[in-house]
Amino acid sequence: MVATALGAALFFVLFAFVKVPSPIPETNFQLAYGVSAFFGCLFGPIASCLIAFIGHALNDFMMYGSAWWSWIIASGVAGLVSGFAFKYTSLDEGVFDKKAILSIIVINVIGCAIAFLLVAPGLDVLIYAEPASKVFLQGLMAFVADGISSIVVCLLLAAAYAKTRTKSGSLDQE
């Protein structure tokens, strides 16, 4: 619970203040998705889903006064899927190997594809009657931008975190 609250707060701060604009309007490179993916590696899919969902909702309410639910839900979906890397990584045991790296990459790509190529634009069309050509272009840009940033940030945080952990069997008894 504490990790989820901390992660959501960190997601909110990064989502609101640390972003790089993309060539597509209303779409940015967001480093926050890498944080939710990293927390997912440590605590699982429910935590990463809540972190992304709550952090994005807080951002919308604080920065704009209302929520854009299609993208908030998509953020939750991206977090949920990226959290399944928890089953394939052992960061708490100090293990950051090729299996962990590949798992993080593949699972984040799948999560971002579902969230930003299907959920966000689909819900934009259904809920807000947005033009499909506009929102699917935004979704494609978000998939590329947030996919890259979530993978890079998550891998960097995972590598650093794993180095701080003691590998099991690394201590000898004298």
Side-chain angles (χ1 to χ4, degrees):
M1 196 58 98
V2 172
T4 301
L6 177 65
L10 186 56
F11 187 99
F12 161 69
V13 169
L14 290 173
F15 200 84
F17 303 111
V18 183
K19 54 189 164 195
V20 178
S22 79
I24 307 299
E26 301 299 320
T27 312
N28 301 301
F29 284 82
Q30 292 284 359
L31 300 180
Y33 290 106
V35 170
S36 66
F38 170 66
F39 275 78
C41 289
L42 297 178
F43 304 108
I46 301 300
S48 58
C49 174
L50 290 172
I51 287 167
F53 183 88
I54 294 167
H56 192 151
L58 281 173
N59 173 75
D60 281 11
F61 283 118
M62 299 290 231
M63 303 305 274
Y64 307 111
S66 65
W68 197 263
W69 290 108
S70 54
W71 285 80
I72 293 170
I73 291 167
S75 289
V77 168
L80 177 73
V81 175
S82 68
F84 285 105
F86 174 78
K87 294 183 178 246
Y88 305 101
T89 59
S90 301
L91 300 179
D92 273 340
E93 297 169 11
V95 177
F96 185 69
D97 54 8
K98 289 178 184 176
K99 177 186 170 197
I101 293 168
L102 187 61
S103 297
I104 289 169
I105 292 169
V106 169
I107 291 170
N108 271 279
V109 167
I110 293 168
C112 287
I114 293 168
F116 303 123
L117 297 177
L118 298 174
V119 174
L123 290 177
D124 268 353
V125 171
L126 289 172
I127 297 171
Y128 303 109
E130 290 284 326
S133 60
K134 171 189 156 193
V135 295
F136 280 96
L137 182 60
Q138 287 176 327
L140 178 61
M141 186 69 229
F143 166 67
V144 172
D146 297 334
I148 291 169
S149 62
S150 70
I151 290 168
V152 170
V153 170
C154 183
L155 288 174
L156 290 172
L157 291 173
Y161 180 81
K163 285 182 182 177
T164 68
R165 311 307 298 171
T166 304
K167 291 183 177 81
S168 61
S170 66
L171 299 176
D172 294 325
Q173 184 177 9
E174 291 184 24

